[in-house]
Amino acid sequence: FRNGLMLSVVASLATSISTEPTQICIGAHADDAAGNAYADCSEEFIAAMDKAINIGTYDKLHVVAPFAGSNKAEVVRQGLALKVPYELTWSCYEGGEKPCGTCATCIDRARAFAANGIKDPAL
């Protein structure tokens, strides 16, 4: 329920900063939800959180998940088109000054870049 907790915290913060209707975004993508690997990344979960947050904020906040229907390679492709400085980002859960390159998340990321014909610039 990590994403549920983070969305709740962000919703609380957003309502303390502004009373204007706004959106909060989550970067969950379809690969995270595949096979119910992370239920809190699924489109069903995100829709439920959107509804709860919308009700709880009197229609002031909506949750937006622009990548929920996209796999990691598609997200990378879109980022490349937008010139995202991927060399400044990584997905590694190991921590440290640079990605480990061997954990499952690093491998998935490298495959997403490979599917777009390039090497992960963080590795």
Side-chain angles (χ1 to χ4, degrees):
F1 193 72
R2 180 179 63 178
N3 285 331
L5 294 173
M6 287 190 282
L7 286 168
S8 297
V9 169
V10 170
S12 295
L13 180 61
T15 58
S16 73
I17 293 171
S18 174
T19 58
E20 297 298 315
T22 193
Q23 298 175 336
I24 56 176
C25 298
I26 181 170
H29 56 79
D31 289 344
D32 284 340
N36 212 25
Y38 299 105
D40 64 347
C41 291
S42 69
E43 292 182 86
E44 178 184 22
F45 178 86
I46 293 165
M49 286 300 295
D50 176 48
K51 183 175 181 180
I53 288 171
N54 187 256
I55 291 168
T57 61
Y58 301 96
D59 202 29
K60 297 285 186 203
L61 290 178
H62 286 278
V63 177
V64 177
F67 306 118
S70 302
N71 65 34
K72 192 171 276 208
E74 292 166 335
V75 173
V76 167
R77 184 176 309 113
Q78 186 172 11
L80 291 169
L82 294 170
K83 299 188 183 335
V84 168
Y86 279 122
E87 69 278 5
L88 302 176
T89 71
W90 64 79
S91 305
C92 184
Y93 283 157
E94 297 300 318
E97 292 186 30
K98 46 192 260 189
C100 74
T102 59
C103 71
T105 306
C106 282
I107 292 168
D108 287 347
R109 178 180 156 125
R111 286 180 182 152
F113 277 95
N116 284 283
I118 65 169
K119 183 180 183 295
D120 183 345
L123 296 178

